[in-house]
Amino acid sequence: MQNVNQSKKDGRKKPFFHIISAHFSSFAQKFTLFFSAAKSKISRFAKERSFDAALCLEYVRYALFSIFSFLLARASFPLMTHPFGIALLCSVSSGKYALLALAGCAAACLFSYEKMFLSFFVIYLFIYAARKAFTSSEFDDSVKTRIIECAFASVSLGIIRVLSELEASFYSYAAILSMTLISCSFTYFFSVVLSKDFFAKSKKNVKTICVYALLFAFISSLSGFTFLGLDVQIVASSLITLVFAAQSGFMYAGFAGFICGLACANPTVCASLGISGIICGFVFAKSLFASLFTFALSFFICQTYSYGLSYSFSALPSVICSCVLFFPAFAFLPDTLKIYPAVKKKASVKEEEKEDVYHKKLSDAMFSLSDVFEKISEKQKYPSFSAVNLAIDRAFSQTCFQCALSEMCYAKKKTDLFELKQSLFAALAKNPCTSSDFGNNMKDKCIRLDALCDEINAQYKTLCAKSLQNNGSALISSQYAGMARLMLDVKRNELSENARDAVSEAKISQALKDADIDFTDVCVSSKRKKKTRIYGINIDKFPFNSGEFINYIYAKCGYVPTLPDFDLSGSDAAMTFERAPVISVEYALSSEAKDSYEVNGDTVNFVLGENNFFYAFICDGMGSGREAALSSRLSSVFIEKMIDTQTEKSVVLELLNNALIAQNRESESFSTVDLFEADLLSGKCSFVKAGAAPTYVLRSEKLYRIFSATPPVGIIPSFTAESTRFDVECGDVIIMMSDGVVRDGDDSDFLANIIRADVSLDPACLSKKILEKSKEINFKKDDMTVAVIKIKAA
C-alpha cells in the first residue's frame, strides 16, 4: 500500500507539459505509422490489381510538374511581369517535361495574363520550338545558351509591351529590365536543380542557392490562393521551414523561413518565419511536440508584436495546419527526419562489431590455410617413392651397361632389389647414399659400386631440384600468410585512425579553457592526423582569427593545425581542423636507357598519398631492354597500388616477391627496389632497400651514404628487406640512383664535387649533372636513373 501511494504521489509531481508532450509524441508516432501503413496498402493494392507502380508514379510526376509549371507561370512580380514561365521553359532538360512545362505555361496564359496572354503564348511556343530544333529534340543545350535564349525572349516580350502601349513610360522600360534580369537568373537556378548532370557537377554552395531560389519561386506562385479560409502561401512556407528544421538544423531552417517569407512579399511574415525556424531548429532535437509548439508560438508572438492580436489569430490557423501536415512529411521522409537516433546508433555499433568478427575470422582462416600449405610444401620438397624407384632403375641401367660382367652379375642375383630400393629411399632422405647402404652382397661382389652410388646421388639431386621448382604449395602458403598480415595491418590502421586520442583531447580542452573559449565537447581521432572536432563553439565570441588560432594551438599542443572550418548545420556550432603538414617535397629525375636499347629497364615513380605520405621508389629490372622494363614496371605498379594502405612495407615487398617468383616459372623476372617514404605531418622518413644501389643524403654540406646487402625481389622465396629510419630537416637533399649510375662502388667523391659546384641544389639541374658525370666515368654501360628529392618547409 505504501508503494502504491508513493507512486501516485510521484505521478502528481509530473508537470502538465510533460504529460501533454508524452501523449502528443505517442499520437505523432501513431499518426506517422498510419501514413506509412496507408502508403504500403496503396502499393499492395496496385500490385494486386496488376498496376505498374513505376508507370503510375511517372504519371503522378507528370501531373504534378504540369501543375507546378502552371503555378510558376502565373506568378506575378511588380510592374506586371511574369518571369518564371520563361525561365522554366528555358531550363527544362527533358523533352517530355518541356512539353508539360509548355502546357502549364499555356494554361497560365488563359487565366493570368489579361491583355498580354497572346504575346506570352507566342513567346512560350517560340522558346519550345527553338530549343527543340536547335538541340534535335534533346534539350541538352548549355546553361549559357539557355540564358541567352531567355534574355532574347524577355526583351522581345518587353518590346511587344512597349509597342502595345500608346505612350511608353519609365515603368515599361523598368519592366523590361527587371523581367530580363529575373528570368535569366532563375534560368540558371532552375537549370541546376532540374538537370541531374548540372546538379551533380555543381558545388555544394551553388546547389544550396539554387534550391532556395526554387523555393522562392514556388512560394511566390501560391500568392492569392486560399482554402477553407487558410492562406496556402503561409501554410506552404511554414511546412517548408519545419522540414528544413528537422532535416538540416537551425541555421538552414532560419534561412529557409526568411526566403519563404520574402516570397510572401510580407516583411513581417519574413521575420516571423525566420525567427520561428531558428527556434524550432534548436528545439527539434529535444522533442517533436516542443518544436512544433515553439514554432507556432514564436510565429504568433512575432505577428502579434507587429500587427496586433486580430491579424495574428487570422494567420495562426494556417501555421497550425502546416504543423498538422508535417506528420505526412514525417512519414514519407523517414531517412531524412531522424526519429530514433539511439536505435540507429546501437544498430550501427552491432554491425561494426559483426564486421570486426568476420574480418578476424577471415584473417585467421587465411593464416590456418597458410599453415596447411606450408606442411604440404614440406612434404613436397622430397621426391616420392615411385620417382626415386625409377631414378634408381635408371642409375642401375646406366652403370651396369658399362660393366663387362653385367649379364652374369652375382651381386644383383643375390640381392632383393625392392627391399634395397626401400632402404635407399629412407637413406637418401637424410644423406647421400654410400656403399654401406647396399648390403654385404653388393658391397663385396659389385666392382662398380662407387660409380653406382654417385649416379644414384646425382639422379636424386635432380629429382629434389625439380620437386622444389614445381612446389607451388610453398608459394601459396607464403601468399596466404602475406594477405592475412595485409588484412590485419589495414584493420589495425583503420582502428588507429578512428580511435580517440585522449591526451590530445585533454591538451586542446585545457587550451580552450585558458583562452576563455566556450565549448561543450572535444573529440580528437587518429593520433597521427589528430582530426579534431570542437562542439558548442560560440563564433561571435571567438577571440582569434585563423592565423592567431593556428599559432595558439601550436604553442599549446605542439603541432600545427590546418585552417579551422566551422559547421553551422546542426543545433550546435562545431569547429573542425586536423594536423597540417610540416614539410613538403620538390623532386626531379633524369634517366637514360642503355646504348642500343630503346626501353629503359629502370622505373621511377613519385606518389603523394591521401594520408599525407610521400613515396619515391626506383625499380631496376635485372638486365636491360624490354624484359627488364617489364619486371620493373610490374614491381612499380604493384608497389604504387599497395603502398598507400599504410601496410608494413616488408609485407608489401614480400607479396611482390611472391608475385615475381610465380612469374619466374614462365620467364625470369627479378627487380631491385629502392623505396623512400616521408611522413609530411611529422617529418619522419625511412628507406627500404631490396638489392638496391646506395642512396646519399646531403645535410649541411655533409654527405651520408645509406646502403644494404639484401638480394633483389623475385630470386629467393624467403625474402627480407632492410629498413633505415631517420628524421629529415628542411634543406635535406636525397639522391636515389640505380646501379647503372653507381656501378663503380663508392661514388661519394664525384657527387661531392657536383654538389660543391651547384650551390642552388635545384633537383632538376642536380639530377641531370649527376647523370652526365656518371656517363663519363662508367665505361660499362647500363640503364641509368637519378632521382633527386629536396625537403622544404610546408
Side-chain angles (χ1 to χ4, degrees):
M1 190 70 181
Q2 185 177 359
N3 294 334
V4 173
N5 292 333
Q6 184 65 31
S7 64
K8 289 182 178 181
K9 185 178 180 181
D10 294 339
R12 287 195 299 270
K13 286 183 179 180
K14 290 184 179 179
F16 177 75
F17 183 82
H18 286 188
I19 298 174
I20 296 296
S21 176
H23 285 291
F24 188 84
S25 299
S26 176
F27 168 74
Q29 291 184 5
K30 291 179 181 179
F31 203 69
T32 303
L33 292 174
F34 168 75
F35 275 98
S36 300
K39 182 181 176 183
S40 302
K41 286 182 179 179
I42 292 172
S43 302
R44 197 180 305 113
F45 178 81
K47 289 181 180 179
E48 291 173 356
R49 301 297 186 276
S50 300
F51 292 150
D52 189 347
L55 186 62
C56 294
L57 186 61
E58 186 118 11
Y59 286 142
V60 170
R61 286 201 195 102
Y62 290 158
L64 292 176
F65 189 79
S66 300
I67 297 171
F68 177 71
S69 303
F70 170 77
L71 292 174
L72 286 186
R74 71 171 291 278
S76 177
F77 268 58
L79 304 176
M80 297 300 295
T81 57
H82 304 273
F84 293 150
I86 298 175
L88 183 64
L89 273 173
C90 291
S91 57
V92 178
S93 300
S94 169
K96 292 181 180 179
Y97 284 99
L99 188 61
L100 294 172
L102 177 63
C105 293
C109 293
L110 299 175
F111 295 100
S112 305
Y113 292 171
E114 300 177 356
K115 297 179 181 180
M116 292 284 292
F117 75 93
L118 186 59
S119 302
F120 271 95
F121 180 78
V122 171
I123 292 295
Y124 289 155
L125 192 61
F126 172 77
I127 293 173
Y128 177 80
R131 291 193 66 202
K132 184 178 177 66
F134 291 150
T135 62
S136 302
S137 303
E138 295 294 331
F139 293 88
D140 57 352
D141 41 355
S142 64
V143 176
K144 291 182 180 179
T145 305
R146 297 179 184 186
I147 293 175
I148 293 172
E149 293 169 350
C150 178
F152 179 79
S154 301
V155 172
S156 300
L157 270 175
I159 293 174
I160 294 173
R161 175 176 176 172
V162 170
L163 294 177
S164 63
E165 295 179 358
L166 297 177
E167 182 179 355
S169 62
F170 168 78
Y171 296 104
S172 300
Y173 297 110
I176 296 176
L177 180 61
S178 64
M179 184 168 180
T180 303
L181 293 176
I182 295 173
S183 60
C184 289
S185 301
F186 278 87
T187 297
Y188 174 76
F189 298 145
F190 291 163
S191 296
V192 172
V193 176
L194 299 178
S195 173
K196 292 182 179 179
D197 294 336
F198 292 148
F199 192 80
K201 294 177 182 177
S202 301
K203 296 181 179 179
K204 183 179 179 181
N205 295 336
V206 175
K207 294 177 184 177
T208 304
I209 294 172
C210 293
V211 169
Y212 281 130
L214 184 65
L215 290 179
F216 177 85
F218 175 68
I219 297 299
S220 299
S221 67
L222 298 177
S223 176
F225 283 107
T226 58
F227 180 74
L228 298 178
L230 301 175
D231 190 335
V232 177
Q233 203 174 31
I234 293 180
V235 172
S237 301
S238 302
L239 182 60
I240 290 172
T241 306
L242 285 171
V243 170
F244 268 82
Q247 179 181 3
S248 305
F250 74 94
M251 186 62 74
Y252 288 97
F255 200 63
F258 179 81
I259 292 294
C260 293
L262 198 64
C264 295
N266 190 325
T268 306
V269 173
C270 179
S272 301
L273 285 176
I275 295 172
S276 303
I278 292 174
I279 297 174
C280 177
F282 272 116
V283 183
F284 195 90
K286 305 297 182 183
S287 168
L288 175 63
F289 167 72
S291 62
L292 298 178
F293 179 79
T294 53
F295 179 81
L297 181 62
S298 303
F299 188 89
F300 178 76
I301 292 173
C302 292
Q303 290 291 300
T304 303
Y305 179 78
S306 301
Y307 290 112
L309 285 174
S310 58
Y311 184 82
S312 300
F313 279 114
S314 64
L316 187 60
S318 301
V319 178
I320 296 175
C321 178
S322 68
C323 293
V324 174
L325 292 176
F326 180 69
F327 289 105
F330 209 96
F332 284 99
L333 297 173
D335 296 331
T336 306
L337 306 176
K338 300 174 182 178
I339 309 174
Y340 308 112
V343 176
K344 289 185 178 181
K345 185 175 181 181
K346 289 180 181 178
S348 64
V349 170
K350 288 182 179 179
E351 289 176 2
E352 187 176 349
E353 289 176 354
K354 285 183 179 179
E355 184 181 352
D356 290 342
V357 171
Y358 293 148
H359 190 280
K360 187 176 184 305
K361 284 184 178 180
L362 182 58
S363 60
D364 290 343
M366 296 183 77
F367 273 123
S368 299
L369 288 173
S370 174
D371 293 338
V372 171
F373 281 108
E374 186 177 3
K375 292 176 182 177
I376 296 174
S377 170
E378 287 294 325
K379 292 182 180 180
Q380 289 181 345
K381 284 182 180 179
Y382 304 100
S384 63
F385 176 75
S386 60
V388 174
N389 189 11
L390 292 175
I392 293 174
D393 287 341
R394 286 195 299 269
F396 268 103
S397 300
Q398 293 178 10
T399 306
C400 295
F401 177 75
Q402 300 174 4
C403 181
L405 301 175
S406 61
E407 294 295 331
M408 45 184 172
C409 182
Y410 182 78
K412 287 175 64 176
K413 291 180 181 180
K414 292 295 182 179
T415 303
D416 186 348
L417 291 181
F418 182 76
E419 184 179 347
L420 175 63
K421 291 175 183 178
Q422 285 183 328
S423 62
L424 288 176
F425 176 74
L428 286 169
K430 300 177 182 178
N431 295 299
C433 68
T434 60
S435 58
S436 59
D437 296 324
F438 286 83
N440 294 328
N441 288 328
M442 291 288 294
K443 186 177 179 182
D444 296 336
K445 305 296 183 183
C446 184
I447 61 176
R448 297 184 60 84
L449 186 58
D450 292 336
L452 181 59
C453 288
D454 293 339
E455 185 62 29
I456 290 176
N457 289 331
Q459 291 279 351
Y460 188 80
K461 185 177 180 181
T462 303
L463 284 177
C464 289
K466 288 183 179 180
S467 298
L468 186 63
Q469 183 178 2
N470 298 324
N471 188 4
S473 300
L475 182 60
I476 294 174
S477 172
S478 180
Q479 287 174 337
Y480 271 109
M483 290 302 298
R485 284 194 293 272
L486 178 66
M487 293 176 63
L488 291 178
D489 283 346
V490 171
K491 191 61 182 178
R492 183 168 56 249
N493 291 327
E494 181 184 349
L495 294 175
S496 175
E497 192 72 14
N498 297 327
R500 296 186 65 167
D501 186 355
V503 176
S504 296
E505 287 178 357
K507 288 182 179 179
I508 292 175
S509 299
Q510 189 60 45
L512 295 175
K513 292 176 182 177
D514 294 342
D516 293 331
I517 299 175
D518 295 331
F519 66 98
T520 57
D521 192 17
V522 175
C523 178
V524 180
S525 60
S526 176
K527 290 187 177 181
R528 180 176 166 271
K529 284 189 175 181
K530 300 191 183 302
K531 299 177 181 178
T532 305
R533 188 172 181 87
I534 304 172
Y535 298 91
I537 289 289
N538 190 342
I539 300 176
D540 297 332
K541 296 182 180 180
F542 197 69
F544 302 113
N545 59 30
S546 297
E548 293 171 345
F549 180 74
I550 290 174
N551 293 332
Y552 182 72
I553 292 296
Y554 175 67
K556 290 288 186 177
C557 302
Y559 66 90
V560 179
T562 58
L563 287 173
D565 184 24
F566 293 92
D567 182 8
L568 307 178
S569 59
S571 57
D572 289 336
M575 179 174 64
T576 58
F577 59 86
E578 59 185 38
R579 193 176 188 178
V582 295
I583 61 170
S584 64
V585 293
E586 180 183 355
Y587 52 86
L589 71 94
S590 297
S591 63
E592 187 171 309
K594 183 180 178 180
D595 295 342
S596 74
Y597 286 95
E598 297 180 357
V599 181
N600 193 337
D602 301 339
T603 300
V604 185
N605 209 342
F606 302 100
V607 178
L608 183 59
E610 296 179 357
N611 294 320
N612 285 303
F613 276 99
F614 171 78
Y615 303 97
F617 44 92
I618 299 178
C619 299
D620 182 3
M622 303 302 287
S624 301
R626 296 188 178 276
E627 293 298 328
L630 179 62
S631 301
S632 65
R633 304 289 193 276
L634 175 63
S635 302
S636 177
V637 171
F638 189 93
I639 294 173
E640 181 183 358
K641 298 303 181 184
M642 297 288 292
I643 201 75
D644 206 29
T645 60
Q646 297 305 299
T647 309
E648 287 293 332
K649 307 305 172 290
S650 58
V651 176
V652 174
L653 293 181
E654 183 179 345
L655 291 173
L656 174 60
N657 186 65
N658 294 334
L660 292 181
I661 288 178
Q663 179 74 15
N664 287 342
R665 295 188 175 187
E666 300 178 1
S667 61
E668 290 189 348
S669 182
F670 312 132
S671 176
T672 66
V673 175
D674 193 2
L675 172 61
F676 169 69
E677 178 190 66
D679 186 349
L680 304 183
L681 297 180
S682 64
K684 296 183 180 297
C685 298
S686 65
F687 282 104
V688 180
K689 290 181 173 292
T695 298
Y696 293 88
V697 179
L698 174 65
R699 176 181 295 175
S700 302
E701 300 182 353
K702 293 182 179 180
L703 199 61
Y704 300 91
R705 186 169 181 259
I706 300 174
F707 64 95
S708 70
T710 53
V713 290
I715 294 182
I716 57 176
S718 56
F719 173 79
T720 55
E722 291 186 4
S723 178
T724 304
R725 300 180 183 275
F726 65 102
D727 293 340
V728 293
E729 298 177 359
C730 294
D732 285 357
V733 176
I734 291 95
I735 304 171
M736 303 173 67
M737 300 174 287
S738 65
D739 57 1
V741 180
V742 296
R743 202 170 187 83
D744 295 330
D746 192 354
D747 296 86
S748 54
D749 292 338
F750 91 88
L751 287 176
N753 294 331
I754 294 174
I755 293 167
R756 197 178 295 114
D758 188 354
V759 182
S760 65
L761 296 179
D762 178 64
C765 295
L766 192 56
S767 63
K768 187 175 181 180
K769 289 180 180 179
I770 294 172
L771 185 67
E772 294 297 328
K773 183 64 177 178
S774 179
K775 288 165 60 178
E776 295 177 8
I777 64 176
N778 286 340
F779 298 104
K780 192 174 181 181
K781 301 300 182 183
D782 194 2
D783 298 320
M784 308 176 75
T785 299
V786 180
V788 178
I789 304 157
K790 188 174 183 179
I791 307 298
K792 304 170 66 176

